[in-house]
Amino acid sequence: MAKKITAHEALIYGMILVSASDSNMTDAEMARIGRLTHFLPVFKGFKEEALIDVARDCSALLQLPEGLDIVLEVIRDALPHKLYDTAYALCVEIAAADLAVAPEELRVLALIRDRLGLDKLTCAAIERGAIARFRTA
């Protein structure tokens, strides 16, 4: 059984999961995770120096047999229901950070959406917002 994590850590696990899904955690994605944990109100009280350790813990879980399912369960169990859409929005943000969303990232986003029981309309709105934010002129 995986250790109990905080809501902050669960949000970061989601972002790491999406970043690692295409086997290429880019500098842009990692930088975006760092910036998000620095300025978003949902991360108030999170100690930024713990980010690397949280990322390592998530990566270690992913290496286990059934690691993907374990991480998805850990995320769901650690988050209050009111943060489910926030978690999905953060995951979409990371997928879009390098301006190219890989098929593997899309699949992981679908798994997160399903595991958290988010409706497709909410997810579509979150995704549309990301498209608007990352569009180039």
Side-chain angles (χ1 to χ4, degrees):
M1 175 158 185
K3 75 173 189 161
K4 181 82 171 132
I5 62 171
T6 67
H8 291 144
E9 292 169 331
L11 294 170
I12 293 166
Y13 272 37
M15 293 187 286
I16 296 296
L17 181 59
V18 171
S19 181
S21 65
D22 62 358
S23 301
N24 184 24
M25 293 177 70
T26 68
D27 290 341
E29 291 168 336
M30 291 308 295
R32 172 73 72 193
I33 292 170
R35 283 194 300 276
L36 292 172
T37 59
H38 177 71
F39 80 84
L40 287 178
V42 75
F43 288 105
K44 183 178 181 185
F46 177 72
K47 294 181 177 25
E48 290 180 55
E49 58 272 10
L51 182 59
I52 299 297
D53 289 334
V54 173
R56 279 191 196 123
D57 291 345
C58 180
S59 296
L61 283 177
L62 287 170
Q63 299 303 314
L64 298 173
E66 306 298 323
L68 177 59
D69 277 337
I70 292 169
V71 170
L72 289 169
E73 288 296 313
V74 166
I75 291 169
R76 187 189 64 199
D77 292 347
L79 287 176
H81 190 270
K82 70 178 185 175
L83 290 182
Y84 283 7
D85 57 352
T86 302
Y88 188 76
L90 290 171
C91 291
V92 169
E93 191 78 12
I94 297 309
D98 54 8
L99 304 180
V101 181
E104 299 87 357
E105 290 172 320
L106 291 173
R107 177 71 180 130
V108 168
L109 287 171
L111 290 171
I112 292 167
R113 179 190 69 223
D114 293 345
R115 191 63 58 108
L116 297 178
L118 294 169
D119 65 275
K120 291 185 180 188
L121 187 56
T122 297
C123 293
I126 290 168
E127 292 160 6
R128 186 69 181 127
I131 290 168
R133 281 190 310 283
F134 285 95
R135 181 175 291 134
T136 58

